[in-house]
Amino acid sequence: MASIGTIARRTFLIGSAAIAGGVAFGYYAYQRPVSNPLTDILGDGETTLNPFIKIDQSGVTIITPRADLGQGAYSIQAALVAEELDIAWEDIRVDPGPPSPSYFNAIVASEGFPAAAWDKGLGASALRGLGSAMSKFMGMQMTGGSTTVPDGFDRMRMAGAVARDVLLSAAAEQSGIAKAELKTKDGAVITPSGDELSYTSLAEAAALIEPPSNVKLKPESEWRYLGKNMRRLDIVEKSTGTAEYGIDVIMPDMVFATVRTNPRFGGGLKKFDASSAEKMRGVIKVVEIDGGVGVLADNTWRAFKAADAIDCDWGSAPYPATSDEQWTEAAASFTEERQDSQFRNEGDVALALDGADLIEAEYKVPYLAHAALEPLNTIVQFKDGQLDIWTGTQIPGIVIQNIASLTGLDADNIKVHVLIGGGSFGRRLEDDYVQQAVQLAMAHQGAPIKMTWSREEDMTHDFPRPMGMARGRGSVKNGKVDAYDLGIAYPSVSASQFGERYGVPLPGPDVTIVAGAWDQPFSIPNYRVTGYRVPPLVPVSSWRSVGASGNGFFHDCFLDELIHAAGADPLEERIRLCWHEPSRKVLETVGEMSNWGSALGENRGRGVAFTFSFGVAAAEVVEVTDTPQGIKIDKVFGAAEVGKVLDPVNIEAQMQGGIIWGLGHAMNAEITYADGMAEQTNYHAFEGMRLYQTPEIEVRALTNGPDLRGIGEPAVPPAAPALANAIFAATGKRIRELPLNKHIDFV
Amino acid sequence: MNETGNHMQLKVNGKEHEVEVEEDMPLLWVLRDELGITGPKYGCGITACGACTVHIDGMAIRSCSMPVGDVFGEVTTIEGLGTPDALHAVQAAWIEHQVAQCGYCQSGQIMAAAAFLEVNPDPDDEAIDRALSANLCRCGTYVRVREAVKTAAAKLRGV
Amino acid sequence: MKKLIFALTGLTAFIVVHALAEEEEAPLAPLEAGSVSQEDGLANWAKIHEVFSHPRCANCHVDDSGIPMWSGPSYGKTRPHGMFISGGETRIGIEFVQCGTCHGRENSPTPHGPPGNEVWLLAPAEMQWFDKSSQEICEQIKDPERNGGRTILEVAEHVSHDPLVHWGWDPGPGREAAPYSAAETTDSILKWQAAGAPCPSAE
């Protein structure tokens, strides 16, 4: 039976999905069909109908190649396939599948190009097309950029529909009943007389049938799952302690391990003395790895203790070692020489500001750690020339590439088994922890090794969101914003992450330096946004909402300053300036939700902010009270334009979570460096929001725009500026630096 | 707990276990690495996140910082609170409200909530905030945590 | 409520055992009244105040709001104990976020881990030191209504013998200990008493 799977002709899917979805990649060559990676790994009794569907005697398994870090990716991917395939919700099983270029993410790379998602012009489409082509070439099976839903919407429904079609054909052949008279229901083909032919019984025959070149997808009105509240597939496991994260994996003869590397990134290990650690109870072996040491032991705690007992002589940091020095470097970056981009330059800013009452401000955002609650970990076994890796990752393809070059093994001998992640927020777009675990496994072959980071190791080795600085200059005229000139300086995430660690340097400007600022749908008579590239400091990475995470604060708060200077209403003026209809609706909606303009009472204030990011217009209104003990966040209203609502309950959860993420870090979180090392070593010093600080949150997803969009990130950027603007409204204090608690207390 | 040298008796989820470990090994690591009970999670190791919360004789305790030698009673982990087939009211409420995102903190949240509702079966927002603010969630599920605690309280009161 | 009562009973047992242990120690003898000058007495009070107002002591000698504080060199900006923690009316925590939920019988060996002791609780509200002046604390120490019903000699004995007080000098890794030692502080109290327990004038 397995041999059926080796028929390598089920390869049409990407091409046909692309056509059905109306996506023009621009270059036909890139529409070459992809192979079905499941064919190589089918077990006994398993059949595959296409890269997203595997069937065996006990039912259907849907392949969900986008990682679930908590954002509900498995459930929505399964729903897309199940909707068309027609299987019962409770019968759905999911499997992340093998890493494969077939599961490339066509959308994520397009975010790396300066084409704003609202721009439908030919030039912008061509640029975006280049992004998707490159992504495919790079085999980027990446989870990120809030793309799981838009990337999978057509492709995965097509997978379900095509599979259903061949199952119907197989049933027609088997029963002798015309295909048109057959229906499907909950994993079975139903004959006119009511007989049921299960998909499992039809799968083998179906796999031999040439799939149709096109199929008709269900109209929205017939959806049974999409558009309705779905019960997350993992909700029972995650509510009963039975969900298995990497850190929970237990295998026979497994060895427990941890590592300790130089907290000064890239500083290296000069020498070490493990003599006392080696004598400690349970320690099996101490191994030198890149930039540090690893301990293999019979228990994680014993490994932690032994790692602490190793005397390490670390090298110094290859970058300015203190936050102060790094800020000096950032402040010196607003020069022509370091200019990286100027994607927006409308009107004549210089002329408009000349002789005008100049409003100037400098803004700062700190480094931020991802600090997912599950400390990074990986299980690796190297046995008989085969390397098996179990880990939570957003980049399985890149992991294989990097591990192949690290070990010299052929990529075919490296298997990555993707696990759910106990959070990520972008951290699992890196694979440093996987590489460390592999080094331990190569040094101790045969047994599976579970390498777990201590929280301290995790916090001090978090490639953070970069610190950044913005300088705004502007002027107002006749009660309106007239000139807006914003310069933004960050070290480049693209150079650090793609260039240094993915080995794929991206040419041209780093769009993330200005994302969430240059691409805002406002028409200001004189409007300029310039990006400056700070030379590399600490290695930096993508953090939930990436460039927009800081730029939302820069762009919107400075706009708020100008609006106040103009004496205009913060919401009305934003609406007036906004030319993009769906975005304007978003602003109007939060205005209506928050009853904007109504009296709030003594010591209270209300702030609004807007950020367009990841193709989503998002606006938030925050209400605060200035209490004698500090600022209390009372209530938050959020609206976002997503094009289409596929899972209302999860959109609500993601928006609530994004708002809490944005507010919590804005309140109290930063990573600072001294002697090249992060000074925050655990959650006592990097807290984010707690339950008692959590406001009431009301959110609404709008569907006035043309494109379906993901919502994992876009609710983050407007949260910090809305809070800062609310604090200004309540106290008259304009805070231009995050975290805000450097300047004001919170209760 | 009876001790004989490093041999210790530990009652977890109604079952007796004998472990042979250092007395200062935190209960969390005895549960996870010695007994294979992985519901309680390691998040911080310093009682800053609450992911490791278990009950000892019904009292919520951070197992990451309690030396196993100090365990003073019977341990209940989330596996002992309820199972997918026999949910505790708090777990049922957590499912109903779809609280979990990544889910990693939720064992601790649920254990803290269950202990709390035993002593305060009809809590207001202030009491809920007091009881659960020591449990950190990075995904931002707090709004739903609050709702689920109220639903669970109603279930437990039989309302 | 049953379990809470049970837990409280457990704690009470702890405290009783604790109190018994305290009684077994040899009693302190007071110094002869007048054997220490007023000036030396005030100098000794200054040392006592350094100890009592030190974060390791004062952070848990808080008012009837029952909110322990985080302050001192190892804690950065002074603020209420994180995580919305309250000692409650019982001063041992509230509704299953008792102090003992995190604070065990020993200091955590992990940096920034919770400190611990056989007993972990807030001092009674009437013994508030946090945010009070040297003169206010001084008057308080002499007033049995606000010092736990003790004579000055008994205050000295308490400082000399009580394990939770002693924790202030052994607060675990990364935390600044209270100045001097239990013995030195006891000695200062006895000298201060012999000088007639003088208090500094209001600031």
Side-chain angles (χ1 to χ4, degrees):
Chain A
M1 185 126 175
S3 61
I4 295 164
T6 59
I7 301 166
R9 62 182 168 67
R10 327 228 158 269
T11 56
F12 58 91
L13 253 161
I14 301 305
S16 47
I19 291 156
V23 181
F25 288 150
Y27 303 89
Y28 285 104
Y30 306 153
Q31 291 189 9
R32 270 193 311 237
V34 298
S35 61
N36 183 348
L38 303 179
T39 54
D40 301 333
I41 56 165
L42 286 177
D44 275 352
E46 292 182 336
T47 309
T48 176
L49 299 180
N50 61 52
F52 296 97
I53 293 162
K54 197 167 72 176
I55 300 180
D56 64 16
Q57 286 313 308
S58 52
V60 176
T61 299
I62 296 172
I63 307 300
T64 52
R66 296 292 169 266
D68 204 319
L69 300 325
Q71 82 283 40
Y74 284 177
S75 292
I76 191 65
Q77 292 175 91
L80 289 167
V81 174
E83 183 68 75
E84 292 292 340
L85 183 57
D86 203 359
I87 47 181
W89 194 252
E90 55 275 15
D91 293 338
I92 293 175
R93 295 179 305 175
V94 298
D95 185 312
S100 164
S102 304
Y103 302 120
F104 80 103
N105 188 328
I107 293 182
V108 71
S110 62
E111 287 292 327
F113 295 89
W118 41 255
D119 187 350
K120 300 295 172 201
L122 209 58
S125 293
L127 273 172
R128 272 193 296 273
L130 185 63
S132 62
M134 211 167 92
S135 169
K136 186 177 177 186
F137 271 140
M138 286 160 56
M140 255 193 209
Q141 181 189 345
M142 180 182 278
T143 307
S146 295
T147 58
T148 296
V149 166
D151 178 62
F153 183 57
D154 287 335
R155 181 161 45 164
M156 298 193 77
R157 283 187 306 148
M158 285 292 293
V162 169
R164 177 174 171 272
D165 189 89
V166 291
L167 287 161
L168 279 168
S169 298
E173 247 170 62
Q174 197 171 311
S175 65
I177 301 169
K179 193 171 158 189
E181 287 175 43
L182 297 170
K183 294 185 168 29
T184 58
K185 187 165 190 294
D186 291 347
V189 175
I190 314 291
T191 67
S193 59
D195 289 341
E196 292 191 12
L197 303 165
S198 72
Y199 288 176
T200 53
S201 69
L202 295 166
E204 190 175 351
L208 296 168
I209 294 170
E210 186 67 32
S213 57
N214 60 65
V215 290
K216 201 162 156 248
L217 297 177
K218 270 190 200 174
E220 209 171 314
S221 57
E222 286 174 23
W223 283 349
R224 68 192 282 212
Y225 300 132
L226 299 175
K228 308 191 170 58
N229 285 343
M230 289 179 251
R231 182 160 126 168
R232 284 180 68 124
L233 295 168
D234 54 7
I235 200 69
V236 172
E237 287 88 337
K238 287 180 173 177
S239 306
T240 52
T242 53
E244 190 181 51
Y245 304 85
I247 204 167
D248 300 328
V249 168
I250 297 172
M251 294 184 188
D253 302 320
M254 189 172 79
V255 171
F256 300 84
T258 194
V259 300
R260 223 182 116 206
T261 64
N262 192 339
R264 301 168 192 87
F265 296 94
L269 174 66
K270 289 196 263 186
K271 59 181 192 317
F272 70 97
D273 177 3
S275 49
S276 53
E278 279 161 348
K279 292 186 201 100
M280 290 169 75
R281 177 166 173 190
V283 173
I284 296 165
K285 194 185 276 181
V286 174
V287 177
E288 185 171 355
I289 61 168
D290 279 351
V293 289
V295 176
L296 306 173
D298 61 359
N299 174 298
T300 307
W301 177 74
R302 291 185 184 123
F304 284 171
K305 279 198 18 163
D308 279 342
I310 299 173
D311 188 12
C312 293
D313 185 5
W314 304 124
S316 54
Y319 44 82
T322 67
S323 285
D324 281 351
E325 291 169 74
Q326 294 173 12
W327 281 119
T328 303
E329 194 64 52
S333 296
F334 295 85
T335 64
E336 214 172 302
E337 196 190 11
R338 292 187 181 175
Q339 182 177 319
D340 190 66
S341 68
Q342 192 169 81
F343 299 136
R344 182 177 295 274
N345 188 5
E346 284 156 15
D348 190 331
V349 168
L351 190 67
L353 293 178
D354 187 32
D357 250 347
L358 195 61
I359 296 152
E360 285 188 283
E362 183 175 277
Y363 281 82
K364 289 158 87 175
V365 295
Y367 289 110
L368 287 169
H370 304 78
L373 200 57
E374 181 192 9
L376 290 171
N377 59 78
T378 298
I379 302 93
V380 186
Q381 183 172 30
F382 184 61
K383 197 175 177 187
D384 306 326
Q386 166 85 23
L387 192 68
D388 280 279
I389 300 168
W390 292 263
T391 197
T393 177
Q394 294 167 255
I395 48 164
I398 291 170
V399 166
I400 291 181
Q401 281 173 34
N402 284 348
I403 298 303
S405 74
L406 174 77
T407 58
L409 290 170
D410 195 294
D412 290 343
N413 295 325
I414 302 168
K415 291 229 168 357
V416 174
H417 312 266
V418 177
L419 305 174
I420 56 168
S424 174
F425 317 110
R427 183 61 180 85
R428 297 173 196 269
L429 287 164
E430 302 285 349
D431 67 355
D432 49 330
Y433 56 105
V434 182
Q435 297 193 32
Q436 292 171 350
V438 167
Q439 290 176 64
L440 299 182
M442 300 305 281
H444 191 79
Q445 304 184 0
I449 290 167
K450 176 161 76 176
M451 189 275 318
T452 305
W453 278 7
S454 68
R455 171 55 54 194
E456 289 78 9
E457 188 73 10
D458 196 293
M459 196 70 91
T460 54
H461 294 79
D462 192 306
F463 300 117
R465 190 280 302 272
M467 51 170 257
M469 188 182 261
R471 289 180 180 163
R473 301 187 315 146
S475 64
V476 299
K477 204 190 262 178
N478 304 326
K480 294 171 180 169
V481 177
D482 183 59
Y484 183 109
D485 185 22
L486 190 69
I488 301 172
Y490 286 107
S492 168
V493 167
S494 152
S496 186
Q497 185 167 33
F498 283 72
E500 296 289 326
R501 295 191 297 282
Y502 290 179
V504 192
L506 298 177
D510 179 354
V511 181
T512 70
I513 290 175
V514 288
W518 82 271
D519 47 358
Q520 302 307 293
F522 293 116
S523 53
I524 299 170
N526 306 283
Y527 192 9
R528 185 164 70 182
V529 178
T530 312
Y532 298 94
R533 192 181 285 225
V534 180
L537 302 169
V538 173
V540 288
S541 186
S542 301
W543 185 90
R544 193 174 187 178
S545 79
V546 203
S549 67
N551 291 337
F553 176 68
F554 294 155
H555 186 275
D556 191 277
C557 281
F558 187 57
L559 183 62
D560 202 64
E561 291 203 53
L562 296 182
I563 291 172
H564 279 278
D569 176 81
L571 180 66
E572 292 308 315
E573 181 67 355
R574 280 176 178 79
I575 292 172
R576 188 189 69 78
L577 290 170
C578 179
W579 57 264
H580 183 238
E581 191 56 31
S583 296
R584 205 158 52 219
K585 285 257 169 56
V586 165
L587 281 162
E588 286 165 359
T589 302
V590 278
E592 176 201 313
M593 289 166 74
S594 62
N595 199 10
W596 183 270
S598 62
L600 275 178
E602 200 71 0
N603 297 320
R604 299 195 65 213
R606 181 190 272 141
V608 62
F610 172 93
T611 311
F612 189 94
S613 67
F614 304 92
V616 174
E620 287 157 23
V621 168
V622 170
E623 292 177 4
V624 300
T625 302
D626 183 22
T627 78
Q629 288 76 38
I631 296 291
K632 165 110 186 95
I633 306 175
D634 302 313
K635 188 141 193 194
V636 179
F637 304 88
E641 167 59 50
V642 296
K644 205 178 281 297
V645 172
L646 296 185
D647 184 357
V649 71
N650 197 42
I651 287 186
E652 183 189 76
Q654 288 304 305
M655 287 185 70
Q656 289 170 340
I659 288 168
I660 288 169
W661 179 262
L663 293 176
H665 292 92
M667 284 162 61
N668 63 30
E670 65 174 334
I671 296 290
T672 55
Y673 292 86
D675 190 15
M677 300 183 280
E679 295 183 281
Q680 294 71 23
T681 58
N682 207 319
Y683 291 119
H684 70 286
F686 191 88
E687 203 168 2
M689 191 171 267
R690 298 269 184 181
L691 181 67
Y692 73 99
Q693 298 160 315
T694 305
E696 279 181 67
I697 301 177
E698 200 181 299
V699 298
R700 206 176 288 174
L702 306 186
T703 55
N704 303 307
D707 299 323
L708 174 65
R709 294 292 178 179
I711 195 66
E713 296 170 283
V716 175
L723 174 58
N725 295 341
I727 291 170
F728 176 74
T731 66
K733 194 169 173 178
R734 178 65 72 181
I735 304 176
R736 301 187 178 89
E737 183 186 17
L738 301 182
L740 299 164
N741 74 345
K742 291 175 99 160
H743 305 277
I744 203 159
D745 288 335
F746 287 88
V747 293
Chain B
M1 161 173 294
N2 301 316
E3 297 173 27
T4 42
N6 275 338
H7 287 268
M8 289 176 250
Q9 292 291 325
L10 204 57
K11 194 168 183 186
V12 184
N13 299 331
K15 194 174 158 200
E16 290 284 353
H17 297 270
E18 186 172 311
V19 290
E20 196 273 294
V21 295
E22 301 86 323
E23 283 180 21
D24 61 345
M25 182 181 288
L27 172 61
L28 175 67
W29 293 111
V30 177
L31 294 171
R32 291 183 56 84
D33 286 6
E34 302 294 319
L35 303 179
I37 298 168
T38 56
K41 302 300 186 212
Y42 168 64
C44 69
I46 60 165
T47 70
C49 78
C52 65
T53 305
V54 301
H55 298 172
I56 299 182
D57 285 350
M59 182 175 170
I61 292 283
R62 306 290 187 246
S63 64
C64 75
S65 296
M66 170 161 278
V68 64
D70 287 352
V71 172
F72 55 80
E74 182 176 349
V75 178
T76 305
T77 72
I78 185 147
E79 290 94 335
L81 188 73
T83 63
D85 300 325
L87 297 166
H88 184 273
V90 172
Q91 293 170 319
W94 246 247
I95 291 168
E96 187 179 325
H97 288 274
Q98 303 226 43
V99 174
Q101 290 186 28
C102 91
Y104 195 76
C105 73
Q106 301 299 349
S107 294
Q109 302 271 8
I110 289 167
M111 293 306 282
F116 165 62
L117 292 175
E118 281 286 308
V119 291
N120 187 344
D122 192 9
D124 57 15
D125 278 354
E126 158 92 10
I128 295 171
D129 285 357
R130 286 277 176 215
L132 290 170
S133 286
N135 288 78
L136 184 68
C137 169
R138 293 286 291 160
C139 298
T141 62
Y142 296 130
V143 176
R144 302 175 117 73
V145 165
R146 242 182 227 146
E147 291 165 358
V149 170
K150 288 178 190 166
T151 298
K155 280 182 203 286
L156 286 165
R157 292 198 310 275
V159 179
Chain C
M1 280 299 160
K2 202 174 69 198
K3 283 184 182 166
L4 180 65
I5 291 162
F6 173 78
L8 285 171
T9 312
L11 193 82
T12 312
F14 255 142
I15 293 167
V16 170
V17 170
H18 205 55
L20 288 173
E22 205 172 339
E23 275 167 24
E24 283 167 16
E25 307 276 344
L28 287 171
L31 302 179
E32 192 186 330
S35 64
V36 177
S37 73
Q38 172 90 3
E39 194 186 347
D40 282 355
L42 278 171
N44 277 288
W45 169 257
K47 288 173 73 176
I48 299 164
H49 174 251
E50 268 186 79
V51 174
F52 288 3
S53 64
H54 188 275
R56 290 298 83 70
C57 302
N59 281 349
C60 291
H61 278 259
V62 294
D63 66 16
D64 57 8
S65 69
I67 311 294
M69 299 300 290
W70 281 354
S71 75
S74 21
Y75 285 88
K77 193 155 99 178
T78 296
R79 63 164 175 140
H81 188 301
M83 305 175 249
F84 211 42
I85 291 302
S86 168
E89 281 174 36
T90 62
R91 312 294 275 185
I92 62 156
I94 53 157
E95 294 176 335
F96 278 87
V97 197
Q98 294 179 26
C99 303
T101 290
C102 295
H103 296 277
R105 293 168 65 184
E106 304 98 23
N107 290 321
S108 163
T110 313
H112 311 288
N117 195 286
E118 287 294 339
V119 186
W120 198 263
L121 74 172
L122 296 177
E126 62 273 16
M127 291 165 69
Q128 179 194 346
W129 296 344
F130 195 91
D131 256 353
K132 292 218 170 167
S133 70
S134 175
Q135 188 250 350
E136 285 171 319
I137 297 173
C138 184
E139 296 297 348
Q140 230 173 286
I141 296 298
K142 296 195 284 187
D143 178 1
E145 294 286 308
R146 294 182 291 157
N147 76 2
R150 296 177 171 97
T151 63
I152 293 177
L153 185 65
E154 282 164 344
V155 170
E157 275 170 353
H158 179 62
V159 170
S160 160
H161 299 141
D162 185 85
L164 185 53
V165 173
H166 284 199
W167 172 88
W169 289 283
D170 180 22
R175 252 170 244 107
E176 187 189 83
Y180 312 113
S181 65
E184 277 175 277
T185 308
T186 305
D187 187 51
S188 289
I189 296 171
L190 294 176
K191 285 177 177 157
W192 171 65
Q193 181 193 26
C199 286
S201 47
E203 284 153 17

